[in-house]
Amino acid sequence: MISISEWQKIGVGTTGFGIFFILFGILLYFDSVLLAFGNLLFLTGLLLIIGLRKTFSFFFQRHKLKGTSFFLGGVVIVLLRWPLLGMLLETYGFLSLFKGFFPVVFGFLGNASDIPFLSVLFRRLQGTSSMV
């Protein structure tokens, strides 16, 4: 069993609240205050969960600098009260940062729950074109 420190527990809660505020800000037609608060909570929670050094080493790897610049640039744009443009930049940066992680998630969900859509999507992401 993995032991989780108190700071990591606080980080999970902070990240959860950040995601909640981001989704709530999107539901309220891109409310800039809620989106900015959600961004700050999400990034703070991420720092608390994995630590300062690991966070910086993840975001500032040479091959991830483009995604990092779009993501953090989007956060800054949201803080400057341009929520739609900021969220578009953040979304592109997020997808660019985590593009290697999505096939793993879809493969796990496709195999664990036997959902046909996810299984087909996983096969397409892997490069095989056979359909079920």
Side-chain angles (χ1 to χ4, degrees):
M1 189 161 139
I2 299 173
S3 65
I4 298 175
S5 72
E6 293 298 318
W7 286 108
Q8 289 174 328
K9 290 177 186 177
I10 294 170
V12 169
T14 307
T15 304
F17 277 119
I19 292 171
F20 169 75
F21 278 109
I22 289 172
L23 293 176
F24 197 54
I26 290 171
L27 280 174
L28 292 176
Y29 300 111
F30 292 96
D31 183 48
S32 61
V33 174
L34 289 174
L35 291 174
F37 190 59
N39 282 330
L40 293 176
L41 285 174
F42 178 77
L43 290 174
T44 303
L46 189 64
L47 284 170
L48 291 173
I49 291 172
I50 63 175
L52 189 62
R53 182 174 296 163
K54 288 182 182 178
T55 302
F56 279 113
S57 68
F58 173 76
F59 277 109
F60 294 108
Q61 294 175 12
R62 186 165 183 82
H63 65 280
K64 292 184 179 182
L65 282 178
K66 182 173 121 179
T68 299
S69 60
F70 273 99
F71 183 75
L72 295 178
V75 170
V76 169
I77 298 294
V78 167
L79 290 173
L80 294 174
R81 295 182 157 263
W82 288 68
L84 188 60
L85 178 63
M87 288 305 292
L88 287 173
L89 290 174
E90 278 185 51
T91 303
Y92 178 74
F94 182 82
L95 292 175
S96 178
L97 280 171
F98 295 102
K99 66 183 172 189
F101 188 64
F102 290 126
V104 174
V105 171
F106 288 137
F108 172 75
L109 290 175
N111 290 334
S113 58
D114 197 29
I115 299 173
F117 169 73
L118 291 177
S119 299
V120 170
L121 185 62
F122 175 66
R123 272 192 239 111
R124 286 189 182 173
L125 288 174
Q126 291 296 330
T128 59
S129 60
S130 63
M131 298 290 286
V132 174

